[in-house]
Amino acid sequence: MATRHSRAAARMMMAPAVVLLLGWMLVPLTMTLWFSFRRYLPMRGGDLGWAGFDNYVRFVTSSTFWPSIQATLIIVGGVLVVTVVLGVLLALLLDQPLWGQGIVRILVIAPFFVMPTVSALVWKNMFMDPVNGLFAHLWRFFGAEPVAWMSEASLQSIIMIVSWQWLPFATLILLTAIQSLDREQLEAAEMDGAGPLSRFAHIILPHLSRAVTVVILIQTIFLLSVFAEIFVTTQGSFGTRTLTYLIYQRVLESQNVGLGSAGGVYAIILANIVAIFLMRIVGKNLDA
Amino acid sequence: MARAHAPARKALTTALAWTAGLLIFFPILWTVLTSFKTEAEAIADPPLFLFFDWTLENYAVVQERSDYMRFLWNSTIIAGGSTLLGVLIAVPAAWSMAFVPSKRTKDILLWMLSTKMLPAVGVLYPIYLIFIELGLLDTRVGLTVVVMLINLPIIVWMLYTYFREIPGEILEAARMDGADLRSEILHVLAPMALPGIASTVLLNVILAWNEAFWTLNLTAVDAAPLTAFIASYSSPEGLFFAKLSAASTMAIAPILILGWFSQKQLVRGLTFGAVK
Amino acid sequence: MGRIVLEQVTKRFGDVEVIPPLDLTIEDGEFAVFVGPSGCGKSTLLRLIAGLEDVTAGRILIDDADATNMPPARRRLAMVFQSYALYPHMSVRRNIAFPLRMAGMDKAEIERRVQAAAAALNLTDYLDRRPGQLSGGQRQRVAIGRAIVREPTAFLFDEPLSNLDAALRVGMRLEISEMHKRLRTTMIYVTHDQVEAMTMADKIVVLHAGRIEQAGSPLDLYRTPRNRFVAGFIGSPRMNLIEGEEAARHGAHAIGVRPEDITLSREEGGGIWSGVVGVAEHLGSDTFVHVHETGLAETLTVRVSGETPCTHGDRVWLTPREEAIHRFDAAGMRIE
């Protein structure tokens, strides 16, 4: 429904956004791809020539690779489990009639707006510090030995911090999904004699499955690149060196750009696999 | 649906929900409270909750020692500038997609969203190099552009969904009434979509404000925003809880307030319409 | 001035030809109504004239100037949309003034014209309201006001009354007709309602599948429909169409008789056709009797002036007025 004039105008008006994003995507991507096939050590001689698939092989065979994959999976998986389970429970709770719903919603959502460096530092010091942290006080109050969270339970600590940041997101989306559920369906089920548990299992949960999928996919994409939380807490030590952090260290800390770029290509492929599933769902909704 | 046991049940769910809400909010509350304590009170065991000598000293010290205002200014410029720039680029693009859709519109939109999913670390070094080449490292301009680019897909997407709710006939009426493209967008579309544009701006200011990967890696001193300001407290000043709290409070307060207005947009903006 | 000429105008959406090559002239000052069933291409044709869609081939001339590639803003046409398409964020005053503002007219002149239009349309008291605070009829008036202030070459109406309730529709119909008599500006009016077409038009253009089935004055079309489609579409209740032996007796593939051209008798043998009354609709001034089991068509509709005591199940006898019988050939075209 348009004329040549408006179609021409549309192309013109779309051009800046398309060109910018195309540049933003293609230029660095091409460079990363190029570097990944070079022996490129800026501090030790610069570009030392063609490396073939050496970087790719070395990145995967280095002793740090599998632990980093493991750390990544544990963190992403842990955060997903915590946020989805708690998110469903919280969403169900907030969907009930209660006094001060608006305020509770605000309280629950607030952590999402806290910048990652702040939440990481506040948790690391004020809560998880083994001497003066609030948890240490609490443990001592119950006569237990305070835990040195960041060194002894580093992965759990990071999962906890990141979960706290992402729980609001999961809750909010799941709550939106629950509220879109047809009330009459629930009432019909109740009339048919379904108890609260079977109503949850047979009606609410299936209705939520799509929202849960979306939460999982979107969070996975963001969680795969969790950075600031590790940067200001453990700096990748104590088994918290994720794939993202490993690549960051290779590139900026040890300045082995070729190797880091090969890692970057792996990370991009990984993110794209998740993105494809997400884009399918988004695409379907666009048609509707 | 009033029921006989409703009040008792409501009381129970209220209690549960408030407990959960306060628990989740507690770290923020504790940070704010601690920021008003002395360092000794901050680490007191048992912890002091409300009964301590309230003081503003920490705020003064933080400002004096690290020049909080400069970081705040950088954050404001980067978040505000990138959002403004992004909206200026995204409005025409979203207009095209919403009102002159073609067979490729959907593909372009999905492709734009997919650029959002590019892992930043994968392109860290190229961007770093480009920044050095162009002299953009540690400049507000460079960071504003990068943050704009990473949020542009979300801005385009949100504006597109808002524009699609506006009937095309109204824009056609404007065309019949003699409006050129500029007037059509400026006098008809923009005022009608104002609530949507405002929501988009709000959410993207928040996302830009909290962006931590690029701000940490591409700034040092001059252009460092609040994310970097806080990161500088990671050690050893972090052990001074009261000052850390004051710095943290100052870093999150502005955005926390904006955030409360943007709950609904959060769902629309961050799920790309996959949840309605 | 406002003479609009379409020469071989064609529109395709992809592979679908919505409007095959079409010629049409709308004279200056004429009230032309495009009528046809939904999907017949009448709105598309209007949008082509407006410039909101491109023609695939052919030319559009407005006052002898080639407007084929002119953007809508420069065609000097005003359009009233089905949804009214008022600007919700502007007051009535600013809505009406918008085209004048776009034309860069000076403030005093804009205000004078807005006041005049508002007075003519009974909108003076509502000038400071937003469209959302108005009733459907008032919104319609604002849309018309926005069109007339510009003093356009021609008005285009896209089913403007379809969102109004029946009573308002009749009132607005009269107002638009009066407006046309007063302004004598060319108007092109799209509707699917043949009553609107009959009552308002100087020229009716009946469209079907993008083709012009017939164009002419309302009574022309009523009296001498060029083909079966026009015969069936124009007139209410519809013309009775009869095929088979009875048609063959008249030397045609099908014959058509309008309900008012049949006389009805309740006396045994009081007519050449006979059947059983299904429903008699009593309107007071007229009665429409629907007759079944005639062996000619499923139902024959007969208009009886005034009242008739017919009821369901009565046997009746019918006589068509021989000189009022329309004859059509196998291709559906009229036989003179």
Side-chain angles (χ1 to χ4, degrees), chain C residues 45-243:
Chain C
L45 195 57
L46 190 75
R47 292 168 59 83
L48 290 176
I49 296 171
L52 294 170
E53 300 280 352
D54 282 327
V55 297
T56 310
R59 293 207 305 160
I60 296 174
L61 304 174
I62 300 175
D63 286 339
D64 300 323
D66 190 344
T68 315
N69 290 312
M70 249 184 224
R74 292 192 28 232
R75 297 192 183 196
R76 303 209 59 236
L77 305 173
M79 183 147 163
V80 175
F81 290 84
Q82 183 172 7
S83 65
Y84 318 138
L86 300 179
Y87 310 120
H89 58 289
M90 296 183 194
S91 64
V92 169
R93 183 192 307 277
R94 299 224 305 139
N95 260 283
I96 298 176
F98 188 76
L100 305 179
R101 254 174 71 210
M102 288 298 111
M105 197 174 278
D106 75 54
K107 284 231 169 64
E109 176 64 12
I110 291 180
E111 183 58 23
R112 196 189 62 73
R113 286 211 197 182
V114 170
Q115 287 296 346
L121 292 162
N122 277 328
L123 287 169
T124 310
D125 295 340
Y126 304 101
L127 278 177
D128 293 314
R129 301 229 187 135
R130 294 281 175 95
Q133 299 165 296
L134 302 180
S135 68
Q138 289 165 338
R139 285 182 212 184
Q140 178 70 79
R141 275 171 225 276
V142 177
I144 292 172
R146 192 172 63 180
I148 59 175
V149 281
R150 293 172 58 193
E151 300 174 358
T153 327
F155 290 95
L156 311 180
F157 293 92
D158 187 6
E159 307 222 13
L161 305 185
S162 58
N163 285 340
L164 298 177
D165 64 49
L168 263 173
R169 204 147 54 207
V170 175
M172 281 310 295
R173 201 167 82 194
L174 288 171
E175 276 189 52
I176 294 174
S177 287
E178 278 206 42
M179 191 172 98
H180 178 247
K181 300 276 178 291
R182 202 169 59 242
L183 299 172
R184 294 268 88 187
T185 308
T186 310
M187 293 189 178
I188 303 177
Y189 188 105
V190 163
T191 181
H192 61 266
D193 179 351
Q194 60 92 23
V195 177
E196 275 177 30
M198 288 299 286
T199 52
M200 301 171 89
D202 295 326
K203 177 195 272 175
I204 294 183
V205 178
V206 180
L207 286 159
H208 179 47
R211 256 173 253 279
I212 296 181
E213 296 287 347
Q214 190 170 4
S217 77
L219 288 180
D220 254 8
L221 266 60
Y222 191 79
R223 288 189 190 132
T224 50
R226 234 184 65 195
N227 56 34
R228 278 178 68 170
F229 180 81
V230 177
F233 195 80
I234 299 288
S236 173
R238 297 162 72 96
M239 181 188 282
N240 298 296
L241 285 164
I242 299 162
E243 290 182 0

